[in-house]
């Protein structure tokens, strides 16, 4: 499916997405990137892929005024604090939006984007690999169906040498990033858990440690879901190089194991000896592929702003509880 699109933001993450975008038929008509260096690097990547070199219009409002009529969609891959305003103006320009994670900075911005989505009738998909993963969707459906009994506990962990990797970058600037490790790489864990359980948290207690920086580096979260199930999440952003993450779900009739990116799903049902891969599920190839399927009406939006709101409410509660040294916060 050919999608006439604009790339809003052309940094490292945008270049990471380009190969699958080009393969899946993205016709990148224009780039909106204030950095001439990033623009040049992105043109070089497009040349490697055999794709045309689109012009750069670094001011979003001017880009939309000039190109909106020639576009179907935009992919927003910019710092976190820009997501709300950029997505809103693009939706109001009549364009479908694929929005990098995390969707927004807080619950108020999430509600605003939901209102804009409803008012404009355009698609808004959040580019969380876990939320878009067929494995995570299947697990969520199993939980909701009751096939594996009642959900009792959820345990998630994410470890990464994030502190050193992001030193001196905008990702450690609170006003731009909105948080640290737990809101950046760890946001995948938060969002995937929210997608899996399909319900809101009622109570959250959290502790964050900035480890001498301006943002959270390590964090521990405990919470209770509307169903009564208990959740514990552990994030460590100051450890050895690499990235490790796991999510475990215990139900009265089975156990699930997955990761925050939804790359695999193992299930052990009552009476079975060990965890086993779920067969027959399609592999997640990239956010752009899922986005085009949503636009074509082939699948329901697997990562809509409603999930973004659930995660934003969780993050707001984490920040509030941590500011009170772990005092439990009621979210409903």
């Amino acid at each position: 499916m050919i999608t006439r699109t604009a790339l809003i933001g052309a940094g490292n993450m945008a270049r990471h997405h380009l190969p699958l975008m080009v393969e899946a038929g993205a016709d990148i008509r224009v780039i909106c990137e204030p950095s001439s260096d990033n623009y040049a690097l992105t043109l070089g990547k497009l040349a490697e892929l055999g794709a045309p070199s689109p012009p750069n219009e670094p001011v979003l409002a001017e880009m939309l005024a000039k190109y909106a009529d020639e576009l179907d969609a935009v992919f927003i891959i910019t710092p976190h604090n820009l997501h709300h305003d950029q997505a809103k103006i693009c939706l109001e320009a009549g364009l479908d939006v694929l929005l990098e994670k995390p969707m927004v900075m807080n619950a108020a911005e999430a509600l605003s984007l939901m209102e804009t989505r409803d008012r404009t009738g355009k698609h808004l998909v959040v580019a969380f690999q876990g939320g878009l993963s067929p494995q995570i969707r299947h697990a969520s459906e199993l939980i909701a169906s009751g096939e594996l009994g009642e959900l009792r506990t959820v345990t998630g962990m994410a470890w990464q040498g994030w502190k050193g990797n992001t030193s001196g970058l905008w990702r450690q600037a609170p006003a731009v990033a909105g948080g640290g490790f737990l809101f950046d790489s760890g946001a995948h864990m938060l969002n995937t858990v929210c997608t899996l359980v399909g319900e809101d948290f009622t109570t959250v207690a959290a502790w964050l440690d900035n480890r001498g920086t301006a943002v959270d580096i390590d964090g521990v979260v405990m919470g209770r879901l509307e169903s009564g199930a208990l959740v514990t999440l552990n994030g460590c952003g100051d450890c050895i190089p690499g990235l490790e993450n796991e999510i475990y779900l215990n139900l009265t009739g089975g156990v699930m194991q997955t990761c925050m990116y939804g790359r695999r799903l193992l299930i052990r049902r009552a009476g079975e000896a060990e965890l086993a891969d779920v067969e027959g599920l399609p592999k997640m190839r990239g956010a752009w592929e899922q986005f085009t399927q949503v636009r074509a009406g082939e699948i329901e939006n697997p990562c809509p702003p409603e999930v973004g709101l659930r995660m934003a409410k969780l993050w707001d509660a984490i920040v509030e509880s941590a500011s009170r040294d772990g005092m439990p916060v009621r979210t409903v």
Side-chain angles (χ1 to χ4, degrees), residues 15-266:
R15 292 189 288 277
H16 168 78
H17 284 290
L18 284 178
L20 286 177
M21 289 182 69
V22 172
E23 180 184 332
D27 177 9
I28 302 174
R29 295 290 183 91
V30 62
I31 293 173
C32 181
E33 169 55 58
S35 166
S36 58
D37 289 342
N38 277 337
Y39 175 59
L41 289 169
T42 299
L43 289 187
K45 185 65 176 180
L46 287 169
E48 290 177 15
L49 298 169
S53 298
N56 184 31
E57 290 286 342
V59 178
L60 179 56
E62 295 177 7
M63 186 277 284
L64 290 172
K66 187 173 181 179
Y67 287 95
D69 291 343
E70 302 175 23
L71 300 173
D72 303 307
V74 299
F75 192 175
I76 299 174
I77 315 171
T78 56
H80 306 160
N81 67 322
L82 302 178
H83 287 186
H84 170 268
D85 291 356
Q86 290 179 337
K88 187 173 187 293
I89 192 175
C90 289
L91 290 167
E92 291 175 337
L95 302 173
D96 293 326
V97 174
L98 178 59
L99 179 59
E100 252 297 349
K101 64 84 189 166
M103 184 176 85
V104 287
M105 300 276 273
N106 52 54
E109 289 187 349
L111 288 167
S112 173
L113 283 193
M114 289 171 63
E115 184 280 329
T116 306
R117 184 272 318 263
D118 293 344
R119 173 164 46 84
T120 61
K122 306 308 294 183
H123 293 293
L124 173 58
V125 179
V126 187
F128 268 114
Q129 291 98 316
L132 297 172
S133 160
Q135 284 69 28
I136 297 301
R137 296 205 298 273
H138 180 70
S140 181
E141 290 165 1
L142 282 177
I143 294 170
S145 73
E147 181 180 329
L148 293 179
E150 296 180 7
L151 179 65
R152 303 302 297 272
T153 67
V154 181
T155 303
M157 70 88 175
W159 303 337
Q160 186 181 23
W162 186 90
K163 179 184 177 184
N165 293 339
T166 58
S167 178
L169 303 179
W170 65 261
R171 295 180 188 277
Q172 288 194 28
V176 179
F181 173 65
L182 205 58
F183 196 58
D184 190 37
S185 294
H188 290 283
M189 175 173 62
L190 303 183
N191 182 82
T192 296
V193 167
C194 287
T195 302
L196 284 164
V197 301
E199 55 179 314
D200 285 336
F201 285 74
T202 60
T203 309
V204 173
W207 292 263
L208 301 175
D209 190 331
N210 288 11
R211 304 287 293 175
T213 74
V215 295
D216 61 278
I217 302 298
D218 299 338
V220 174
V221 181
M222 299 187 299
R224 183 184 294 274
L225 300 173
E226 289 175 325
S227 63
L230 301 176
V231 179
T232 57
L233 304 173
N234 178 298
C236 179
D238 185 15
C239 56
I240 62 175
L243 173 61
E244 298 291 337
N245 63 94
E246 295 290 344
I247 296 173
Y248 301 90
L249 302 102
N250 296 299
L251 300 98
T252 54
V255 177
M256 296 184 188
Q257 180 181 353
T258 184
C259 72
M260 65 189 191
Y261 298 113
R263 293 172 180 153
R264 62 187 184 278
L265 175 62
L266 295 88

Side-chain angles (χ1 to χ4, degrees), residues 309-329:
L309 172 62
R310 182 168 289 137
M311 183 197 138
K313 289 165 65 177
L314 170 59
W315 179 247
D316 286 353
I318 290 171
V319 172
E320 181 179 353
S321 175
S323 72
R324 302 180 183 182
D325 193 27
M327 181 180 294
V329 171

